[in-house]
Amino acid sequence: MHNKTVAELSRDLESGQVSSVELTRHFLDRIQQQDSQYNSFITVTEEQAMAEAEAADQRRQRGDATPWTGIPFAQKDIFCTRGVRTTCGSKMLEPFVPPYNATVTQRFEDAGAVSLGKTNMDEFAMGSSTESSYFGATTNPWGERRVPGGSSGGSAAAVAARLTPAATATDTGGSIRQPAALCGITGLKPTYGRVSRYGMVAFASSLDQGGTMARTAEDNALMLNVMAGFDPRDSTSVDQPVPDYTADLAQPLNGLRIGLPKEYFTDQLSPAMADAVQSAVREYEALGASVREISLPHANLAIAAYYIIAPAECSANLSRFDGVRYGYRCKNPEDLLDLYTRTRAEGFGSEVKRRIMIGTYALSAGYYDAYYAKAQKVRRLIRQDFIDAFDDVDVIMSPTTPSPAFVQGEKTSDPVTMYLEDIFTISTNLAGLPAMSVPAGMIDGLPVGLQIIGRYFDEARLLNVAHQFQQATDWHLRTPND
Ligand code: GLN
């Protein structure tokens, strides 16, 4: 049962071959038996899940089911869930039980999906390995002591271990695509503004975007059908019609123009990774696509610009955690200043503190123009590079990550090496473009991903391009065990 896709499970529920109660019980049992190895969940909502499953079965009998009615899924612990603790991987929010649902959560609830619980993540989504979680690191099901990537490592590991058929995630600089690649699953970061950020704990508001993780492109399309759309409660959400993202999956790829950025394929890219991408590209040529080299001249500035802009925004967003309103509060404060400083010193982990300090510095008088304003100008140049490139091509392809999953602890002492994990993913966040990661090979027994970047709001095409690849290859069907 756990090897089936969302699309297959949805058909089984529809035909009455299985009930949501049976399905939900099955996944809850797997979580209970196996998750001690992975630590992919922070909170499992067993009782609530079983109640939702019963309600879903009744709804199906009444004849008003959606494709999601009765389908179990998991939610990154960054989405506010009414009555269910939402920690964002931090001690700061350990006791926080939101009184409302994030829009994404609400939409799955309205569709009748069954939430199994909340998945582990890097603290406040800052990281690339899920090692900075206050609730302990998540382990990649593909390799003992290997990281699952991050920050959505819990969602990716849970899908890869088939503890859930699908999971929500967020991506500020790569946090959907990089863990999807390292765990051998399929993930999509939509266009900025496509999915509501309401109720999604903010890290860097101009970059954060909610998205999807599942084993196939088709399942990502089914997820996006639920998640996408205008939300008056998020002023950055875009009022554009939502297509049926499954409608174009079967379109042939004849005439598709693929661009390969020359800046990404240098001798610094490992030969094994270059080979994996080249074979994927050959597969696309066999499917009727043409390939050309393109240039993204400012690609080498993306990491530097991001590590000014993201910390600047995070330092402002995280100022709300002051021990007064909600979340953690230090014991016996002497006065207001002591309350603020000790709450923050005790409540945040070291990566979050590092970012707040960098961001505060970059925004301070005298440095603002030199760092923050400069980074914003670079951001505009990076965006323009993509706009120019898309004059000649329909999609851009690259590796998702520089290498497969690394060993836990390998990069924790050197933040800059950790930051380089996102070298291929970060510029699309700066530009606001949609991008996917699709399983595209194995290196030393570990999965690697192909990144596919599209034009603004071209998610349907990305999903089509990914789906056609998955009709021709079986990388997405490989599983780490049983
Ligand atoms: N790894 C990047 C960072 O630490 C991106 C994280 C994310 O996308 N949330 O900022």
Side-chain angles (χ1 to χ4, degrees), residues 312-473:
E313 293 185 19
C314 109
S315 72
N317 271 326
L318 271 57
S319 65
R320 75 191 68 182
F321 300 107
D322 57 5
V324 177
R325 283 168 285 195
Y326 52 90
Y328 176 77
R329 175 179 293 172
C330 71
K331 299 255 165 344
N332 308 318
E334 277 165 24
D335 53 27
L336 188 61
L337 192 63
D338 185 43
L339 170 75
Y340 288 158
T341 51
R342 219 147 39 77
T343 293
R344 290 168 68 81
E346 293 167 12
F348 289 136
S350 57
E351 183 59 28
V352 173
K353 286 177 188 161
R354 178 180 297 123
R355 308 264 180 128
I356 292 173
M357 284 190 280
I358 295 171
T360 309
Y361 180 83
L363 288 175
S364 55
Y367 296 107
Y368 180 97
D369 284 331
Y371 293 110
Y372 184 72
K374 183 70 143 280
Q376 290 288 24
K377 289 178 186 165
V378 171
R379 180 179 192 171
R380 185 65 180 81
L381 294 172
I382 288 169
R383 174 165 180 256
Q384 193 61 44
D385 286 353
F386 281 108
I387 293 172
D388 294 344
F390 279 122
D391 280 344
D392 299 322
V393 297
D394 303 309
V395 292
I396 295 173
M397 290 186 183
S398 77
T400 307
T401 60
S403 53
F406 49 95
V407 173
Q408 287 170 336
E410 192 181 305
K411 301 192 180 186
T412 36
S413 56
D414 182 358
V416 177
T417 9
M418 188 74 91
Y419 297 168
L420 290 174
E421 265 300 293
D422 292 321
I423 192 145
F424 301 122
T425 52
I426 260 176
S427 47
T428 55
N429 298 78
L430 291 166
L433 291 163
M436 289 189 77
S437 180
V438 180
M442 303 282 286
I443 297 178
D444 299 333
L446 295 168
V448 293
L450 172 75
Q451 179 174 231
I452 313 170
I453 305 170
R455 296 198 179 98
Y456 294 104
F457 296 99
D458 218 4
E459 285 83 0
R461 189 197 307 252
L462 287 186
L463 288 159
N464 163 231
V465 169
H467 178 74
Q468 289 304 310
F469 185 70
Q470 296 186 338
Q471 300 305 103
T473 61

Side-chain angles (χ1 to χ4, degrees), residues 76 78 121-122 124-129 150-152 170-179 203 207-208 306-307 310-311 351 355 418-419 421-422 425-426 429:
K76 186 177 183 180
I78 198 168
M121 54 182 286
D122 280 302
F124 284 103
M126 298 172 198
S128 299
S129 65
S151 64
S152 314
T170 63
D171 191 311
T172 303
S175 278
I176 290 177
R177 292 159 285 161
Q178 186 255 9
F203 160 15
L207 301 158
D208 299 341
Y306 174 90
Y307 278 100
E351 183 59 28
R355 308 264 180 128
M418 188 74 91
Y419 297 168
E421 265 300 293
D422 292 321
T425 52
I426 260 176
N429 298 78

Side-chain angles (χ1 to χ4, degrees), residues 20 52-53 56 59 66 68-71 107-114:
S20 177
E52 285 174 2
R59 180 169 166 182
T66 78
W68 278 93
T69 306
I71 301 278
R107 285 177 182 236
F108 275 104
E109 203 172 295
D110 293 345
V114 174

Side-chain angles (χ1 to χ4, degrees), residues 1 4 8-9 11-19 22:
M1 207 142 47
K4 293 194 172 182
E8 289 164 344
L9 292 173
R11 284 194 287 273
D12 289 353
L13 284 167
E14 184 61 31
S15 70
Q17 202 175 316
V18 71
S19 71
E22 286 165 333

Side-chain angles (χ1 to χ4, degrees), residues 33-45:
Q33 286 154 13
Q34 299 190 16
D35 201 40
S36 55
Q37 295 169 62
Y38 313 124
N39 194 31
S40 66
F41 280 83
I42 293 176
T43 304
V44 179
T45 47

